[in-house]
């Protein structure tokens, strides 16, 4: 997943059809050495008992109902019983209506099984305990989702780009898959899956599986995912979607009004895949397609295998934000191929991926671009470290440090994790570290591992292989200590030096830099220009900037994310109408939460935020809604009236 948002901005919970046959064939093979399977993993965010039984395959047969905002049907599990004395199958659920449970007693013969659904825990949902005295090889659950499932968003036609048809999409990470499928919702369990989806004929349905670019839109869809994936990579979307190719194995799915713009923006995707393959080995998932979702998608991107889900906010016309694609593609190695075994080790997904992303950006767009993005990320990390509990600044978290898996410290797992790998690269040398990382992906392919397993592998294949370059104390300080260790490599950007000089000159003289300087600036330079401003400016200063650069109303969410909080803190009311429109149009939490936080700091701003949120809420994803509601509730004075609900 692309970097969600600084924890300080969150009040609650926050981290492929016409394929190459050779890649598909190779990727279906099991890992040669299943080291991870022998390691006992305790995932405190799941009720599942994988030491007793694991799901080997999941078969879904579901009906998609836009009017009722539900998925309903059956989930059938092929089970591998590890404990021959076990008599129960325990699954994770959240707000599911369980109609019945059956076990296959003989081929094609299904008999009822007793089950119990425990009271709901606010974070973990409800434990579903199924009595399986015969340890059935196949168990089938008939169920329906709630219209308010936390992992699904149902959009009315008015909330889409085309305004003609409804839209639905999932967001399963971290533990939201359990809200639309009863399953062992832990990354320590990997399974293959198939699905049959019945939908209205006008809706195109896609999943994180073998989508056919030439599939007919007929309301009857079947999918297979032959590689084993963790539950959080289970994904579905349905709506008015069309396909446009980028290469023989990659393309864009989007609403008709968006597909051409997105395809042009993501034109370098095949080059990204080829670059990643040269560095880290073959792409093992067949196709790599990108689904551009409506603006309400709560994240930048989600690395669903074969089908990255992406926000339209990165389609800005100049490819300046396509590092998001590099990030989600990088997950095809770090995350989807080698997966963290619990949320305590989220950096193994996001930190490694952020490092690989930066390497891809450097290879395709130059070191200067990569350095600018690294500086921006590290500035966010430093800001976050001023706010959060030091125990959340470690890469490997201790048990019980993370009550809600959505509450991982974003900049820590993304940026500190990437910084750690850059430290190792500089100490060991790029060629040696590239060989190590490629070997790491091969060694743990299609496995879920812990930080301890990563550390053991790295100590054997880096520290011991190349002695006297990194001590174990230095290595462990990155993993288990708070903050950034002494000796961390610095990130510098000459182009940001020019931006800093221009900003300082303007603050001192009120003379704007000439167009010859600002004309070539990219998104990253404008972001740095705004981020370096004082906490507040005079209204006339903001107006001068706005008249020159038209920040208010910008279609670029990365700029808006920085500009609007500055206007709020400075009392620049001319931006208010555009702020209201921005917060109602965009559901990506990283982009909108800083503005909500700035508004909530004053009574007048809080009242405006409540008014805007009441209008925006129907179009927000449940994850975004929860974040905003918690923030506003904490900011609201105890005797303040409730916000409007219309």
């Amino acid at each position: 997943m692309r970097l969600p948002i600084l924890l300080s901005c969150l009040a609650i919970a926050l981290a492929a059809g016409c394929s190459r046959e050779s890649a598909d064939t190779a990727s279906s093979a099991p890992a040669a050495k299943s080291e991870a399977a022998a390691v006992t993993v305790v995932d405190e965010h799941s009720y599942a008992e994988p030491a007793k039984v694991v799901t080997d395959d999941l078969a879904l047969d579901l009906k998609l109902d836009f009017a009722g905002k539900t998925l309903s049907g059956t989930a059938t599990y092929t089970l591998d019983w590890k404990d021959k004395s076990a008599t129960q199958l325990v699954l994770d659920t959240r707000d599911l209506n369980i109609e019945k449970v059956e076990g296959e007693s003989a081929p094609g013969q299904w008999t009822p099984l007793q089950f119990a659904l425990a009271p709901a825990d606010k974070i973990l949902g409800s434990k579903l305990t199924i009595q399986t005295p015969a340890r059935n090889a196949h168990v089938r659950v008939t169920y329906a989702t709630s219209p308010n499932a936390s992992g699904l968003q149902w959009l009315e036609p008015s909330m889409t780009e085309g305004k003609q048809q409804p839209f639905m999409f999932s967001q399963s990470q971290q533990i939201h898959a359990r809200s639309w499928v009863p399953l062992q919702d832990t990354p320590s369990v990997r399974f293959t899956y198939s699905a049959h989806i019945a939908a209205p004929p006008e809706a195109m349905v896609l999943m994180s599986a073998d989508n056919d670019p030439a599939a007919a839109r007929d309301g009857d869809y079947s999918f297979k995912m032959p590689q084993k994936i963790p539950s959080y990579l289970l994904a579905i979307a349905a709506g008015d979607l069309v396909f446009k190719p980028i290469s023989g194995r990659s393309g864009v799915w989007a609403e008709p009004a968006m597909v051409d713009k997105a395809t042009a923006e993501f034109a370098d995707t095949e080059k990204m895949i080829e670059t990643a393959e040269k560095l880290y080995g073959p792409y093992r998932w067949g196709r790599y397609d990108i689904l551009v979702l409506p603006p309400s998608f709560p994240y930048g991107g989600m690395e669903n295998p074969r089908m990255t889900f992406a926000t339209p906010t990165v389609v800005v016309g100049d490819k300046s934000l396509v590092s998001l694609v590099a990030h989600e593609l990088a997950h095809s190695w770090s995350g989807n191929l080698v997966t963290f075994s619990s949320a305590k080790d989220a950096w193994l997904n996001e930190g490694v991926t952020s490092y690989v992303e930066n390497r891809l950006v450097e290879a395709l767009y130059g070191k200067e671009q990569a350095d600018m993005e690294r500086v921006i990320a590290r500035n966010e990390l430093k800001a976050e470290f001023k706010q959060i509990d030091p125990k959340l600044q470690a890469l490997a978290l201790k048990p019980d440090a993370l009550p809600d898996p959505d509450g991982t410290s974003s900049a820590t797992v993304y940026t500190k994790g990437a910084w750690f790998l850059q430290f190792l690269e500089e100490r060991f040398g790029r060629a040696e570290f590239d060989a190590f990382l490629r070997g790491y992906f091969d060694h743990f392919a299609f496995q879920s591992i812990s930080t301890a397993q990563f550390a053991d592998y790295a100590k054997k294949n880096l520290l011991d292989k190349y002695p006297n370059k990194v001590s174990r104390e230095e290595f462990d300080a990155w993993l288990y200590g708070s903050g950034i260790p002494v000796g961390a490599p610095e990130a510098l950007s000459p182009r940001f030096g020019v931006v800093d000089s221009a900003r300082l000159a303007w603050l001192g003289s009120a003379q704007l830099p000439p167009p010859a300087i600002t004309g070539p600036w990219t998104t990253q330079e404008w972001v740095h220009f705004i981020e370096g401003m004082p906490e507040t400016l005079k209204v006339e200063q903001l107006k001068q900037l706005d008249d020159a650069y038209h920040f208010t109303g910008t279609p670029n969410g990365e700029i808006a994310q920085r500009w609007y909080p500055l206007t709020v803190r400075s009392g620049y009311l001319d931006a208010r109408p555009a702020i209201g429109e921005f917060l109602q149009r965009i559901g990506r939490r990283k982009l909108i939460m800083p503005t909500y936080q700035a508004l909530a700091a004053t009574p007048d701003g809080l009242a405006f935020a409540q008014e805007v949120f009441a209008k925006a809420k129907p179009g927000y994803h449940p994850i975004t809604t929860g974040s905003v509601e918690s923030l506003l509730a904490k900011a609201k004075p105890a005797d303040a009236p409730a916000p409007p609900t219309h």
Side-chain angles (χ1 to χ4, degrees):
M1 190 189 306
R2 187 66 157 120
L3 181 61
I5 186 166
L6 298 183
L7 192 64
S8 61
C9 293
L10 283 178
I12 65 163
L14 246 146
C18 181
S19 61
R20 296 185 176 181
E21 291 184 6
S22 58
D24 256 343
T25 302
S27 62
S28 300
K33 185 177 181 183
S34 185
E35 222 174 79
V39 177
T40 300
V41 173
V42 177
D43 185 350
E44 60 208 65
H45 303 117
S46 172
Y47 294 116
E49 300 173 334
K52 296 180 180 179
V53 58
V54 295
T55 303
D56 190 58
D57 180 77
L58 169 68
L60 297 173
D61 193 344
L62 301 175
K63 178 183 178 181
L64 189 155
D65 181 358
F66 278 112
K69 298 182 179 179
T70 60
L71 293 172
S72 61
T74 62
T76 304
Y77 317 89
T78 299
L79 301 171
D80 180 5
W81 291 92
K82 305 293 186 182
D83 183 346
K84 302 308 178 185
S85 65
T87 58
Q88 293 180 339
L89 169 63
V90 178
L91 301 177
D92 296 298
T93 77
R94 178 184 291 140
D95 298 328
L96 296 180
N97 177 26
I98 308 298
E99 181 180 329
K100 63 180 177 179
V101 180
E102 302 164 289
E104 190 176 39
S105 53
Q109 296 182 12
W110 296 87
T111 57
L113 297 177
Q114 293 184 332
F115 67 92
L117 198 60
D121 176 86
K122 182 178 179 181
I123 295 173
L124 302 182
S126 300
K127 177 169 69 172
L128 174 61
T129 303
I130 301 168
Q131 300 302 324
T132 52
R135 287 179 292 282
N136 309 75
H138 298 96
V139 169
R140 183 168 67 196
V141 177
T142 302
Y143 72 99
T145 64
S146 163
N148 300 313
S150 65
L152 300 176
Q153 183 170 20
W154 302 86
L155 298 175
E156 301 295 331
S158 62
M159 301 171 186
T160 67
E161 185 87 11
K163 314 294 185 187
Q164 299 298 313
Q165 296 184 30
F167 203 106
M168 182 276 290
F169 64 89
S170 66
Q171 173 54 38
S172 293
Q173 197 178 35
Q174 299 281 352
I175 57 170
H176 299 283
R178 66 189 65 180
S179 74
W180 64 282
V181 183
L183 36 60
Q184 293 179 304
D185 197 10
T186 168
S188 65
V189 174
R190 304 177 69 108
F191 52 88
T192 56
Y193 83 86
S194 62
H196 172 253
I197 309 295
E202 64 273 12
M204 188 71 204
V205 178
L206 305 171
M207 294 192 75
S208 53
D210 59 341
N211 301 280
D212 179 1
R217 192 186 299 201
D218 58 7
D220 189 286
Y221 305 95
S222 294
F223 304 91
K224 287 187 181 295
M225 168 48 78
Q227 297 100 336
K228 289 195 171 185
I229 64 168
S231 55
Y232 74 86
L233 294 178
L234 196 63
I236 187 171
D240 183 12
L241 294 166
V242 295
F243 178 80
K244 189 167 185 177
I246 293 173
S247 69
R249 58 174 166 175
S250 182
V252 171
W253 287 92
E255 292 184 71
M258 172 60 71
V259 71
D260 288 340
K261 291 183 288 186
T263 304
E265 198 81 6
F266 303 146
D268 295 336
T269 299
E270 177 61 32
K271 294 179 183 177
M272 286 185 184
I273 301 172
E274 293 170 353
T275 301
E277 288 183 316
K278 290 176 183 176
L279 287 170
Y280 305 118
Y283 178 77
R284 309 190 196 202
W285 300 93
R287 291 195 61 80
Y288 179 78
D289 292 325
I290 302 167
L291 168 61
V292 181
L293 292 170
S296 60
F297 185 47
Y299 299 109
M302 181 62 211
E303 64 272 16
N304 301 311
R306 302 185 181 221
M307 179 67 69
T308 280
F309 283 18
T311 173
T313 62
V314 299
V315 181
V316 293
D318 62 1
K319 299 184 182 179
S320 61
L321 300 179
V322 297
S323 60
L324 178 134
V325 175
H327 184 94
E328 305 311 336
L329 171 65
H331 270 303
S332 302
W333 285 264
S334 49
N336 298 5
L337 185 64
V338 182
T339 304
F340 68 111
S341 56
S342 77
K344 297 189 296 292
D345 302 302
W347 82 274
L348 285 172
N349 278 24
E350 300 300 352
V352 179
T353 292
S354 296
Y355 169 82
V356 173
E357 166 200 349
N358 202 256
R359 291 292 305 278
L360 298 181
V361 170
E362 178 182 330
L364 289 169
Y365 304 109
K367 187 175 185 299
E368 184 62 44
Q369 176 85 358
D371 284 341
M372 287 194 296
E373 295 191 359
R374 190 180 287 128
V375 169
I376 290 171
R378 291 181 186 178
N379 287 341
E380 291 178 343
L381 177 66
K382 292 170 185 174
E384 181 174 290
F385 277 178
K386 294 177 182 178
Q387 306 275 343
I388 67 169
D389 190 329
K391 71 181 180 182
L392 292 177
Q393 297 175 15
L395 291 179
L397 298 180
K398 295 179 179 179
D400 303 321
L402 194 65
D404 187 336
D406 278 342
T408 50
S409 163
S410 62
T412 296
V413 299
Y414 287 76
T415 305
K416 183 179 177 180
W419 205 341
F420 174 37
L421 267 61
Q422 191 206 357
F423 164 77
L424 295 176
E425 176 205 312
E426 291 201 0
R427 287 290 190 91
F428 290 102
R430 177 166 281 192
E432 290 78 9
F433 189 69
D434 282 352
F436 161 79
L437 205 52
R438 182 168 182 154
Y440 163 76
F441 293 139
D442 288 339
H443 184 81
F444 291 112
F446 297 104
Q447 298 180 57
S448 299
I449 69 169
S450 65
T451 296
Q453 288 171 277
F454 169 87
D456 288 345
Y457 183 83
K459 286 172 180 177
K460 177 181 178 181
N461 293 278
L462 272 181
L463 276 67
D464 294 346
K465 186 175 180 180
Y466 306 103
N468 304 318
K469 290 186 179 291
V470 173
S471 70
R472 296 209 171 193
E473 291 75 17
E474 289 176 301
F475 186 88
D476 289 347
W478 279 96
L479 289 179
Y480 307 110
S482 60
I484 298 298
V486 176
E490 290 297 321
L492 300 173
S493 167
R495 280 164 61 178
F496 277 180
V498 174
V499 174
D500 291 334
S501 297
R503 185 193 321 103
L504 286 171
W506 173 73
L507 287 170
S509 68
Q511 294 295 313
L512 292 168
I517 291 178
T518 59
W521 282 5
T522 63
T523 295
Q524 287 74 20
E525 284 151 304
W526 286 114
V527 163
H528 188 70
F529 181 72
I530 298 170
E531 280 191 339
M533 292 293 178
E535 187 72 7
T536 61
L537 292 172
K538 296 178 181 178
V539 169
E540 53 266 29
Q541 290 177 301
L542 291 163
K543 180 168 175 47
Q544 183 187 15
L545 291 174
D546 224 356
D547 288 345
Y549 304 127
H550 310 292
F551 291 143
T552 298
T554 175
N556 189 315
E558 293 291 335
I559 293 173
Q561 173 197 350
R562 278 87 177 176
W563 173 252
Y564 289 140
L566 176 60
T567 68
V568 171
R569 294 192 301 268
S570 304
Y572 182 56
L573 297 181
D574 286 358
R576 277 245 176 132
I579 289 174
E581 192 276 334
F582 174 70
L583 295 178
Q584 291 177 63
R585 180 172 54 88
I586 302 297
R588 185 181 174 189
R589 294 191 307 169
K590 174 195 172 187
L591 301 184
I592 64 174
M593 291 303 292
T595 301
Y596 271 117
Q597 186 180 44
L599 287 168
T602 66
D604 175 66
L606 178 60
F608 178 72
Q610 291 170 331
E611 178 184 343
V612 170
F613 176 59
K615 298 175 182 176
K617 182 178 178 180
Y620 280 172
H621 190 280
I623 296 173
T624 302
T625 295
S627 296
V628 179
E629 284 180 338
S630 182
L631 173 67
L632 298 183
K634 289 181 179 179
K636 184 178 65 175
D639 58 350
T645 57
H646 60 277

